[in-house]
Amino acid sequence: MAATDALTLRRPDDWHLHLRDAEILQAVLAHSAHPFARAIVMPNLKPPVTTVAAARAYRARILAALAPGVDFTPLMTAYLCDDTPADELRRGFEEGVFAAAKLYPAGATTHSEFGVTSTARVARALETMQSLGMPLLVHGESTRPEVDVFDREAVFIDDTLQPLLADFPALKVVMEHITTLQAAAFVSADASGRLGATITPQHLMFNRNALFTGGIRPHFYCLPVLKAERHRLALRRVATSGDPRFFLGTDSAPHLRALKEAACGCAGMFNAPSALQCYATVFEEEGALDRLEAFASVHGARFYGLPLNQGTVTLRRQPAMVPQDVRLPGGSAIHPFLGGSTLPWRLEPAAD
Ligand code: NCD
Ligand code: ZN
């Protein structure tokens, strides 16, 4: 059978995205706003987005940073703290500002120091979210210091996620950026229909060897960290299976090159410039190109109860290089995931 040369998809959404603020927001936004129609925007700014007013203001800054005529809807999230008032979440959700709330275990990742120290502390907030049908987005990693960094996700499932799901039997939960076969199996085994998971391009494409190829590779460092090959293969199986509980979430997380190439480099990969092309590459390798649209453009919207997008995007089979750097006005740069490498698919520019 002849290989597909052009792939036109219903416009996809990114269900997990870091856009940052100010000049970084300005530099990175266009890479997501084309091709993605909507994105769940992570609230881990400094200070974090914890109130309806802060989320409204952040949404306005994102919309102001869009080029004229670009159709992109940022879906805002609340950063859950131990003391987040349940009423703030209710008001934000009912007023159409908060699409979801994000649970960062305190200390688990970049800018998570104001996160949740125990589920018990946010029980009232979770009860309210459960009654509203407001999704809880979970960074699923144990922060217990004795837990090995590669085991943190699996331990979190046993220690925290299972009890949380039992305590809140109707709460909608997304396990964000899953990285292990344990997470893939856990979500697959759920029969309640209220559990979903996002999967990033990097966890589908690379195993943890990428961190150490010929030396230490800071641009392959993100959290949760890349895992062993068996985990990557399990993620590829579920992502390409057609199972509606798994959907696209890039976790594109820009950091300045200088802050990644450092003695204590930041976690996060800026994959927005190539994310859709990467997913297409993976789905094609798995013989599942016909399932890409469901993963990218259907499953997430259905989980969130949102309408499907109307427009389309087109990928062409044409080798294209990911840019080496995205420049900021002051001369500093962000090095994208796979910057300088060539991918087999090129994203067509947006039609006017
Ligand atoms: C994210 C960031 O930089 O904000 N980093 C990352 O490695 N993914 C935070 C996160 O999603 O964990
Ligand atoms: Zn993230």
Side-chain angles (χ1 to χ4, degrees):
M1 202 172 72
T4 316
D5 286 328
L7 200 57
T8 296
L9 306 175
R10 183 186 288 279
R11 222 167 143 220
D13 302 300
D14 184 350
W15 299 102
H16 184 126
L17 175 64
H18 300 267
L19 285 173
R20 315 301 192 205
D21 216 339
E23 68 269 24
I24 297 189
L25 166 64
Q26 195 67 56
V28 304
L29 179 60
H31 293 282
S32 292
H34 174 56
F36 298 107
R38 297 172 289 207
I40 283 280
V41 179
M42 288 294 132
N44 61 335
L45 301 183
K46 275 189 143 168
V49 179
T50 55
T51 64
V52 183
R56 240 186 238 290
Y58 184 30
R59 182 169 66 182
R61 295 196 297 279
I62 296 167
L63 293 173
L66 283 171
V70 173
D71 167 30
F72 175 76
T73 304
L75 302 170
M76 310 311 290
T77 56
Y79 183 117
L80 209 56
C81 305
D82 283 351
D83 59 359
T84 301
D87 281 348
E88 190 73 7
L89 298 175
R90 174 189 300 281
R91 195 165 64 81
F93 188 71
E94 288 178 344
E95 292 179 8
V97 180
F98 291 146
K102 179 70 191 275
L103 189 159
Y104 290 105
T109 187
T110 310
H111 304 164
S112 65
E113 55 273 31
F114 302 105
V116 171
T117 60
S118 81
T119 309
R121 301 243 170 143
V122 290
R124 289 238 3 248
L126 299 185
E127 263 160 38
T128 299
M129 291 175 63
Q130 175 172 252
S131 68
L132 292 168
M134 179 177 181
L136 178 73
L137 315 183
V138 177
H139 182 110
E141 288 197 284
S142 169
T143 53
R144 279 166 36 212
E146 70 276 21
V147 175
D148 190 273
V149 66
F150 295 103
D151 297 336
R152 284 180 187 169
E153 186 172 278
V155 170
F156 180 90
I157 293 171
D158 294 343
D159 279 12
T160 307
L161 187 59
Q162 289 209 3
L164 186 154
L165 292 171
D167 288 348
F168 302 94
L171 182 64
K172 283 171 89 165
V173 174
V174 183
M175 264 198 98
E176 297 291 323
H177 43 53
I178 60 167
T179 63
T180 57
L181 60 87
Q182 288 90 342
F186 184 74
V187 175
S188 298
D190 175 72
S192 68
R194 46 65 183 255
L195 182 62
T198 54
I199 307 182
T200 76
Q202 58 267 21
H203 294 101
L204 293 169
M205 293 178 84
F206 292 96
N207 64 35
R208 63 193 183 187
N209 290 342
L211 280 158
F212 309 109
T213 315
I216 189 120
R217 300 280 181 175
H219 294 288
F220 281 97
Y221 178 52
C222 65
L223 288 171
V225 71
L226 295 174
K227 300 297 192 297
E229 180 66 356
R230 66 184 183 283
H231 298 289
R232 185 181 79 96
L233 296 178
L235 297 177
R236 287 169 75 102
R237 275 195 297 276
V238 293
T240 60
S241 67
D243 184 328
R245 292 171 293 192
F246 298 97
F247 40 89
L248 186 158
T250 64
D251 197 15
S252 182
H255 290 278
L256 296 184
R257 192 188 251 278
L259 296 179
K260 285 194 68 70
E261 297 171 2
C264 184
C266 298
M269 299 189 196
F270 172 49
N271 62 26
S274 67
L276 194 61
Q277 300 89 308
C278 288
Y279 287 116
T281 304
V282 168
F283 273 67
E284 178 159 51
E285 286 166 358
E286 295 293 323
L289 262 188
D290 57 333
R291 295 194 178 140
L292 177 62
E293 184 176 61
F295 176 80
S297 318
V298 177
H299 296 167
R302 293 258 157 81
F303 184 90
Y304 278 85
L306 293 170
L308 303 185
N309 299 315
Q310 286 307 312
T312 59
V313 290
T314 298
L315 292 165
R316 293 217 178 267
R317 184 186 305 285
Q318 196 177 43
M321 200 178 86
V322 182
Q324 270 290 358
D325 277 310
V326 168
R327 294 258 158 220
L328 298 183
S332 53
I334 299 165
H335 178 65
F337 171 61
L338 297 179
S341 320
T342 297
L343 288 168
W345 294 95
R346 176 190 296 275
L347 181 63
E348 285 229 319
D352 295 322

